[in-house]
Amino acid sequence: MILALVNQKGGVGKTTLALHLAGQWARQGMRICLIDADPQGSALDWAEQRAAEGHQRLFGVIGLSRETLHIEAREQAASVDHVIIDGPPRVAALMRSALIAADLALIPVQPSALDGWASAEIVSLVAEARSFHPGLNARFVLNRCDPRTLIARHARAALADRQPAPLITGIAQRVLFAQVMAQGRLASEADPGGPAACDIARLAAEIMAITR
């Protein structure tokens, strides 16, 4: 499977989700390659910090912020179980290439009107990519929200009326995610079985269920 996390709006949590999904599947014994397609290189920075801290390498992280990403991602997929693409914000050509490569495009959005407006652009890009890659599946994932709040319920209701459809699993706003990212670690390493790790485990399981 090639999974691309994409949204033209920055700061929605693409890198955090990409790294945590990669770690979840790697810990289950799968061979994972994470492609950092964002020129900012946050996933690469995380991998460098992890190595500097002496933590075990769980999966490979490579930088590929080129418009030939759809070709190179498929080449990488031949030697691993899953490729995860951490997509760039605001670079339409790179994002289009990531979408053409992907089996599933995951679009993280936060529970705010601003994110809703920004997501309209990526929905248009998904539709465009499907003209080249009709098998592309796409889903929203509600990220960085407390499911108990009124704004989260409103956001989920709004997404339910849109295409692509949202995943059932959402990821709550948790301080632990920010803490471990700065350390080159994962939530499951800092607090195994804790709420953040359980959120990621449920998300990873739902993705696997819809891509079988």
Side-chain angles (χ1 to χ4, degrees):
M1 174 184 65
I2 300 178
L3 169 67
L5 286 100
V6 293
N7 194 323
Q8 285 201 296
K9 185 176 186 297
V12 295
K14 295 188 301 294
T15 300
T16 298
L17 290 181
L19 289 166
H20 278 81
L21 288 168
Q24 178 69 22
W25 289 322
R27 289 166 69 88
Q28 293 173 358
M30 301 177 196
R31 297 167 300 162
I32 306 297
C33 173
L34 191 150
I35 295 176
D36 189 342
D38 187 344
Q40 184 174 326
S42 296
L44 286 168
D45 290 343
W46 177 90
E48 290 176 6
Q49 182 64 27
R50 185 174 183 87
E53 296 286 343
H55 301 306
Q56 177 190 6
R57 181 179 180 272
L58 294 175
F59 50 87
V61 180
I62 61 175
L64 282 175
S65 54
R66 297 192 289 265
E67 294 178 24
T68 53
L69 177 60
H70 57 287
I71 298 171
E72 293 165 285
R74 289 172 184 162
E75 290 173 350
Q76 291 293 327
S79 58
V80 297
D81 296 305
H82 302 306
V83 170
I84 299 174
I85 301 172
D86 180 14
R90 298 178 296 277
V91 185
L94 272 177
M95 201 173 306
R96 188 178 297 110
S97 188
L99 290 168
I100 292 171
D103 300 301
L104 172 64
L106 200 61
I107 307 168
V109 290
Q110 298 176 125
S112 71
L114 183 60
D115 272 18
W117 298 328
S119 68
E121 293 184 67
I122 187 61
V123 169
S124 295
L125 281 174
V126 167
E128 181 184 336
R130 280 178 172 154
S131 65
F132 299 96
H133 179 21
L136 172 63
N137 190 3
R139 295 294 185 94
F140 284 111
V141 57
L142 197 57
N143 192 33
R144 291 179 176 166
C145 72
D146 185 338
R148 299 167 296 180
T149 62
L150 183 61
I151 190 172
R153 291 197 293 273
H154 284 171
R156 183 166 291 282
L159 287 175
D161 295 331
R162 299 184 62 176
Q163 289 295 328
L167 293 178
I168 295 169
T169 306
I171 304 297
Q173 173 78 295
R174 302 195 190 279
V175 173
L176 184 61
F177 284 124
Q179 292 174 337
V180 296
M181 287 292 289
Q183 301 163 356
R185 301 174 70 207
L186 300 169
S188 57
E189 295 172 311
D191 185 18
C198 289
D199 280 356
I200 295 297
R202 284 191 291 268
L203 178 61
E206 184 175 358
I207 290 170
M208 293 303 294
I210 68 172
T211 55
R212 288 195 180 107

